[in-house]
Amino acid sequence: MPEVNTDHLDEQQVQLLAEMCILIDENDNKIGAETKKNCHLNENIDKGLLHRAFSVFLFNTENKLLLQQRSNAKITFPDCFTNTCCSHPLSHPLELEENDAIGVRRAAQRRLKAELGIPMEQVTPEEISYLTRIHYKAKSDGIWGEHEIDYILFVQKDVTLNPDPNEIQSYCYVTQKELKQLLDKAARNEVKITPWFKLIAETFLFKWWDNLNNLNKFVEHEKIHRM
């Protein structure tokens, strides 16, 4: 694996690079484990290294979507606006369990607490709906990037927030109209958004949002959307 100097990067974020992500093939079959660092180096991504991830979309009871702006300490896509929470299940037994994506949903509960300070009991894995998966690849800069099969997870609940400033520099709840305005700003390069959030917003998000009370018709656990 390539050696990359991380001395100039945020200490807390560098510690997280030692976490073990789940390596998968293009059909989301588990084939091993590798550090978060190695999974996110473009040099390895270019050789085909692919890992499992998730994106949470949390709505309050007013049907507003919780967005976050990633902190400038983040190694990939700093300062970018994105959906509620984006991260990875880790290669340990509780998060490797695949039945009904329960391992991924447990990981989502863990990261909602770590990033947004949402108490674990406020969003349980059972309250997180798994819709479908997307496979995408994106470069953050010359060194770091993403290559993931991303589980799309939905939650609708009013929650208590206490974000970690090392993870998140700002957050807000938005209506559909307000999100469309943000996407327009991003198109004019006035703000930055993450590439996976842009892909999901442009293809699926608004039809899902219109059907928060009837998401079952969009569940596609057999399909991986290649984007």
Side-chain angles (χ1 to χ4, degrees):
M1 292 290 181
E3 204 33 67
V4 170
N5 188 326
T6 57
D7 293 347
H8 62 293
L9 299 173
D10 178 84
E11 188 179 342
Q12 191 173 325
Q13 293 294 326
V14 168
Q15 287 175 354
L16 294 173
L17 290 177
E19 291 182 335
M20 297 300 288
C21 292
I22 301 167
L23 290 185
I24 50 176
D25 66 16
E26 297 230 335
N27 294 312
D28 194 26
N29 297 304
K30 184 171 75 249
I31 57 172
E34 191 47 81
T35 62
K36 181 179 173 186
K37 176 182 176 182
N38 283 328
C39 285
H40 290 84
L41 289 171
N42 289 326
E43 192 173 335
N44 295 330
I45 290 169
D46 289 342
K47 295 172 186 166
L49 209 64
L50 175 64
H51 62 279
R52 190 174 286 163
F54 61 82
S55 288
V56 178
F57 292 77
L58 184 145
F59 300 82
N60 64 15
T61 51
E62 296 177 355
N63 289 354
K64 291 182 177 179
L65 172 62
L66 179 59
L67 301 185
Q68 62 156 283
Q69 184 182 16
R70 293 161 69 87
S71 82
N72 57 15
K74 297 291 278 185
I75 293 166
T76 57
F77 304 100
D79 298 317
C80 289
F81 284 91
T82 194
N83 51 286
T84 312
C85 178
C86 325
S87 191
H88 319 93
L90 299 180
S91 186
H92 60 65
L94 277 177
E95 296 183 12
L96 281 163
E97 197 176 325
E98 293 182 347
N99 185 33
D100 201 25
I102 185 62
V104 173
R105 290 185 287 127
R106 286 176 183 140
Q109 179 193 37
R110 172 177 59 81
R111 288 303 298 176
L112 286 167
K113 172 75 167 70
E115 292 182 24
L116 289 147
I118 299 172
M120 300 279 273
E121 65 275 10
Q122 281 193 13
V123 179
T124 64
E126 293 70 30
E127 293 172 297
I128 300 171
S129 300
Y130 159 44
L131 288 189
T132 189
R133 293 168 288 178
I134 69 166
H135 178 185
Y136 78 95
K137 181 159 58 173
K139 286 189 174 176
S140 179
D141 57 25
I143 297 171
W144 304 97
E146 293 283 6
H147 187 209
E148 302 179 331
I149 290 182
D150 193 17
Y151 284 65
I152 307 302
L153 306 175
F154 268 49
V155 185
Q156 185 165 23
K157 201 163 187 205
D158 293 329
V159 294
T160 308
L161 298 171
N162 183 24
D164 177 353
N166 189 259
E167 293 284 342
I168 294 173
Q169 61 176 294
S170 70
Y171 65 91
C172 57
Y173 282 95
V174 295
T175 61
Q176 289 198 22
K177 181 180 178 183
E178 288 164 339
L179 178 56
K180 286 171 181 169
Q181 290 168 344
L182 182 72
L183 295 170
D184 288 342
K185 278 187 173 180
R188 297 192 298 267
N189 294 318
E190 293 172 18
V191 296
K192 295 189 292 183
I193 60 173
T194 60
W196 62 88
F197 183 47
K198 181 174 189 286
L199 284 170
I200 294 164
E202 288 177 350
T203 48
F204 301 117
L205 178 57
F206 291 100
K207 69 179 179 187
W208 291 337
W209 199 337
D210 285 335
N211 290 274
L212 288 178
N213 298 320
N214 189 22
L215 286 172
N216 285 342
K217 65 182 181 182
F218 298 107
V219 169
E220 295 179 297
H221 291 178
E222 305 308 311
K223 190 173 175 78
I224 300 172
H225 296 272
R226 315 285 177 183
M227 305 184 85

